[in-house]
Amino acid sequence: MHYGLGIDAGGTYTDAVILRGSDGRIVDSHKSFTTYPELEHGIKDVLDNLDPEYLKQVNLVSVSTTLSTNSLLEGTGTPVGLVVVGEHPHDEPYPTEHMIEIGGGHDPRGSEEFELDLSKLVHFARSTMDSVSAYAVSAIFSTRNPEHELRVKEFLTRETGLPVVCGHELTQALGAYERSVTAVLNAQLIPITYKFVNSVALDLQKRGIHARILMLKGDGSVYNIEDALEKPVETIFSGPAASLLGASYLAKEDTCAVIDVGGTSTDVAMLREGLPEISESGSVVGGWKTRVRAMKMETFANGGDSHIWVKDKKVNIGPRRVIPLCIAAEKYPDFIRSLKRNRILSRQMMDRHYQPTKFFVRTDYPAKGINEEEAELLSYINYEPVSINDLSDTSNVPPSNKLLDSLIQKRLVQAIGFTPTDALHVLKVYNQWNSHASDLGAFYLSKFSQMGKFEFCSLVRKMLAQNMGYGLMSFVYPHHPKEVIQDGVSGEYPAGYRMSVPTVLLGGPVKSYTQDFTSIIGGEVIVPEYAEVGNAIGALVGKGVKKVEMLIRAQSPDELDRNFYVFSPLGRHGVITYSEAVEHAIEVGKDIVLNYVERCGVSRKETEINVTSKTASPPDWTHAPLQTIITVMGVGNPLMVLKE
């Protein structure tokens, strides 16, 4: 008997499920805390709680994570150096402060337009190598000829020893600015993706499990773990993709909307007749437009662990994630005592950090790249939670929002505060952690909002349910004004929204929001069995899909019936005749696709290959087309290995 293991690492929890290959039945599952920065502790804990008899028969492991998405949403990715080759016309900023522009670049036919100038790179490399964790390189028309990007990569690798990412390695789409952004984000995610993948691989190795390891991508397909380490940017939205696949599998619905309420964010997506809608133009994450192919979805920075804070009697939610009070009380023995003796702040001082329920605790993350003020403030934050009150009294440096945000962004400090999870504990609809800490927090904050404790917590629960409804309707009606959608889900008007397809809810205590959510969004709402580990199931049921596009163009505009270029992910290749160009493009495409699915554990004979072509020619053209795009797509199912 063979079994598959699915693992999903979220901002708060790491989930795992074991699936029996013969009938696809879930035989075991568990949730554990995701541990920062030592992810291996959370991985070990979740696997320790699975049946060892099933574990030792696992021969396929597939993982997904929201760590990539959360890192970019919260702005906590590691610093990256960017080298831009040639003039990139753009008005938008780049997602890094360490960048340089150098001469070089090619034309649309892949011919060198300007000579590559490496003279400035020596100083740039030496001045940034201790401040960044990786480099990104983006050159003009590198998708037509990657020579300049590869030469810069070779130089930086030799000079710094750090990972270097090239734009052409991630996408063949045109758009120099978006390709640069994609390369930077990819480089930012290399350390955290490596840490996650390495934690999983080492733990499995210690248990004697020698299974093939795959990782889910943002478009719902899987890829080999080695490919994932080279291109972690493709794991952006792998967590939401897992929720969509998992929801469909658990609810047995091919057409449905899916809302996954995590600790950090809420993800919304749609499945139609078993197929997710793909954003071919590239996903947007953290406000950055990328060239990453992903499922069309919306991610909102509101979740079960979003910070609840009060200012001027108004209750606010998020956008930052904090450790819930109820969980902090379980992790830190003296936390309840500290919470009880925490004095009330004046109303004038209160903002998102200055709250009677706000505490800070240090992580084990290495303190690199911080200034003197940050280092001074960090010295007053230890491994036991310290309140904002005590921090203000003891620190020689005022704990400003700017300093605290910077320390949190650099993962040196974690914040603790009141959350929707705490509100559920007070309302006694979810009782997994320390309810006493949640009660104390609700008591403090409710006084500032001039409500009773239960009224305050009911409002918090309703606010998250409304945000779920707002997220769903924003996704369904992308062109409606935000104000109109907000009015429709507020419950203040006699007219509202109603879904005509089922809405599947995933997440830990998501049942607690079902009544409020159903009253906001009419229609069928499904909370399937194993909803709390739906992402781990989704990671396991993704297919191996690879799509490759090759472009065929004449080498010279004056000679359109012979001498052609084939542009592919492997570079530029010259041939004599048009038929040779088509044959070469299909051959290269099939080879790339089949090698890809083989690395996912699917044999070549079990892979479905589809080849299409699209041409562009003027009217009455009697010779070779001006341009031809050959698309080769292969689909294979790694789960088939479980039934062998």
Side-chain angles (χ1 to χ4, degrees):
M1 186 73 70
H2 291 155
Y3 294 86
L5 171 64
I7 301 173
D8 175 75
T12 304
Y13 294 105
T14 295
D15 306 334
V17 298
I18 298 180
L19 192 76
R20 187 163 57 201
S22 59
D23 56 7
R25 179 172 172 266
I26 298 172
V27 296
D28 202 5
S29 67
H30 191 71
K31 295 178 75 74
S32 291
F33 285 120
T34 299
T35 51
Y36 290 107
E38 297 86 0
L39 297 172
E40 60 270 17
H41 297 326
I43 300 293
K44 181 179 185 302
D45 186 50
V46 76
L47 296 184
D48 280 345
N49 283 279
L50 294 176
D51 190 319
E53 289 302 311
Y54 291 137
L55 266 181
K56 67 183 182 183
Q57 298 179 72
V58 165
N59 67 335
L60 176 67
V61 178
S62 190
V63 300
S64 65
T65 180
T66 58
L67 296 175
S68 301
T69 315
N70 293 347
S71 174
L72 298 178
L73 284 174
E74 296 179 333
T76 54
T78 58
V80 168
L82 170 64
V83 178
V84 174
V85 182
E87 290 189 10
H88 285 45
H90 67 94
D91 296 323
E92 304 91 342
Y94 290 109
T96 178
E97 60 184 43
H98 306 286
M99 70 159 293
I100 187 174
E101 294 181 343
I102 64 174
H106 291 76
D107 64 20
R109 296 182 182 279
S111 300
E112 185 178 75
E113 189 166 29
F114 299 101
E115 186 178 349
L116 180 64
D117 180 10
L118 296 177
S119 60
K120 296 180 182 178
L121 274 188
V122 177
H123 175 71
F124 179 73
R126 291 175 181 174
S127 63
T128 58
M129 60 187 296
D130 293 330
S131 304
V132 304
S133 60
Y135 289 94
V137 186
S138 180
I140 287 291
F141 286 112
S142 63
T143 54
R144 297 290 187 259
N145 191 332
E147 178 193 2
H148 286 182
E149 284 190 355
L150 292 173
R151 285 174 59 188
V152 173
K153 179 177 183 176
E154 180 184 6
F155 176 87
L156 289 174
T157 301
R158 184 176 66 250
E159 290 292 318
T160 70
L162 294 173
V164 182
V165 176
C166 292
H168 81 275
E169 297 169 334
L170 304 173
T171 175
Q172 284 295 294
L174 294 177
Y177 173 73
E178 289 85 356
R179 197 163 59 249
S180 300
V181 169
T182 305
V184 170
L185 299 184
N186 189 79
Q188 284 184 356
L189 296 176
I190 287 175
I192 192 169
T193 305
Y194 178 83
K195 198 168 187 63
F196 169 56
V197 168
N198 199 44
S199 297
V200 173
L202 287 176
D203 192 277
L204 294 174
Q205 188 178 21
K206 290 176 183 177
R207 297 171 194 270
I209 300 173
H210 303 292
R212 182 183 297 275
I213 304 178
L214 306 176
M215 193 164 191
L216 193 71
K217 297 197 293 185
D219 63 359
S221 64
V222 293
Y223 59 160
N224 180 278
I225 209 67
E226 286 79 16
D227 294 331
L229 291 175
E230 286 186 10
K231 301 179 181 180
V233 73
E234 294 187 5
T235 67
I236 294 176
F237 295 131
S238 80
S243 69
L244 186 60
L245 298 177
S248 176
Y249 187 89
L250 293 173
K252 296 179 173 56
E253 294 282 351
D254 286 338
T255 299
C256 59
V258 178
I259 299 179
D260 181 18
V261 183
T264 305
S265 60
T266 294
D267 306 318
V268 180
M270 186 84 70
L271 198 71
R272 299 180 190 274
E273 297 181 354
L275 297 174
E277 194 173 355
I278 302 298
S279 175
E280 296 288 353
S281 63
S283 56
V284 177
V285 58
W288 298 105
K289 172 70 175 175
T290 75
R291 287 297 181 188
V292 178
R293 197 170 175 271
M295 290 183 179
K296 190 171 286 187
M297 62 188 73
E298 294 282 349
T299 297
F300 300 88
N302 271 183
D305 296 344
S306 292
H307 184 213
I308 302 297
W309 50 287
V310 179
K311 181 176 176 62
D312 298 331
K313 302 178 186 178
K314 181 185 176 184
V315 181
N316 302 277
I317 180 169
R320 286 278 189 178
R321 169 190 173 270
V322 296
I323 299 173
L325 301 178
C326 57
I327 293 177
E330 296 278 348
K331 295 178 69 174
Y332 306 103
D334 292 331
F335 182 70
I336 288 285
R337 188 182 305 125
S338 299
L339 188 59
K340 284 181 177 178
R341 68 177 178 81
N342 198 20
R343 72 176 187 269
I344 299 295
L345 300 174
S346 69
R347 293 182 183 274
Q348 290 73 27
M349 293 180 64
M350 291 186 59
D351 62 16
R352 57 192 168 83
H353 281 319
Y354 279 79
Q355 298 282 304
T357 50
K358 197 69 177 281
F359 290 75
F360 301 90
V361 64
R362 186 162 181 173
T363 71
D364 288 327
Y365 223 69
K368 292 172 59 179
I370 61 175
N371 59 38
E372 290 184 9
E373 281 190 318
E374 291 170 343
E376 176 72 14
L377 183 59
L378 185 61
S379 69
Y380 292 95
I381 303 175
N382 297 313
Y383 297 99
E384 288 293 324
V386 56
S387 70
I388 189 66
N389 271 327
D390 290 341
L391 194 57
S392 299
D393 291 342
T394 58
S395 173
N396 291 327
V397 176
S400 66
N401 285 343
K402 181 180 179 181
L403 284 177
L404 289 169
D405 284 344
S406 181
L407 292 176
I408 292 170
Q409 180 179 342
K410 293 172 181 175
R411 299 184 183 272
L412 300 173
V413 167
Q414 281 188 299
I416 299 169
F418 194 84
T419 68
T421 300
D422 288 301
L424 297 183
H425 279 74
V426 175
L427 296 171
K428 302 189 185 307
V429 293
Y430 185 63
N431 296 296
Q432 188 167 356
W433 312 110
N434 192 309
S435 297
H436 185 34
S438 300
D439 282 332
L440 287 169
F443 174 76
Y444 291 147
L445 293 178
S446 62
K447 291 200 173 294
F448 285 100
S449 57
Q450 294 187 341
M451 299 180 191
K453 182 174 67 174
F454 294 104
E455 182 187 4
F456 172 78
C457 291
S458 295
L459 174 63
V460 170
R461 178 170 67 172
K462 186 177 181 180
M463 287 174 66
L464 188 61
Q466 285 182 334
N467 285 342
M468 291 163 59
Y470 175 79
L472 176 59
M473 299 313 355
S474 295
F475 181 81
V476 173
Y477 296 107
H479 304 300
H480 281 205
K482 293 182 179 180
E483 296 78 9
V484 173
I485 295 175
Q486 193 68 59
D487 288 345
V489 301
S490 67
E492 299 177 7
Y493 297 88
Y497 293 101
R498 181 177 180 83
M499 291 292 291
S500 60
V501 301
T503 301
V504 183
L505 303 184
L506 294 184
V510 75
K511 284 184 180 178
S512 306
Y513 299 103
T514 306
Q515 185 175 349
D516 283 331
F517 178 75
T518 305
S519 68
I520 296 168
I521 302 297
E524 183 182 6
V525 177
I526 302 172
V527 181
E529 186 181 8
Y530 296 107
E532 69 279 4
V533 291
N535 282 24
I537 279 291
L540 197 54
V541 298
K543 293 184 178 181
V545 180
K546 183 65 175 178
K547 181 179 177 181
V548 183
E549 288 187 351
M550 274 73 54
L551 173 68
I552 299 173
R553 295 182 69 174
Q555 294 184 20
S556 170
D558 300 323
E559 190 177 27
L560 299 177
D561 57 353
R562 59 186 289 107
N563 295 328
F564 295 87
Y565 282 134
V566 178
F567 301 100
S568 78
L570 302 183
R572 186 181 72 170
H573 181 76
V575 295
I576 301 298
T577 67
Y578 178 74
S579 61
E580 289 176 336
V582 172
E583 183 180 345
H584 177 78
I586 294 175
E587 181 182 345
V588 169
K590 284 185 175 181
D591 195 47
I592 291 174
V593 164
L594 291 173
N595 284 336
Y596 180 93
V597 294
E598 272 190 327
R599 294 197 300 275
C600 295
V602 181
S603 69
R604 293 189 171 221
K605 64 180 181 180
E606 293 175 337
T607 302
E608 296 180 18
I609 297 287
N610 183 45
V611 180
T612 59
S613 66
K614 186 184 297 184
T615 60
S617 299
D620 301 324
W621 186 254
T622 57
H623 299 290
L626 290 175
Q627 176 176 293
T628 301
I629 297 176
I630 303 290
T631 302
V632 180
M633 187 170 74
V635 181
N637 188 358
L639 279 180
M640 293 299 295
V641 72
L642 301 182
K643 298 182 179 181
E644 294 176 354

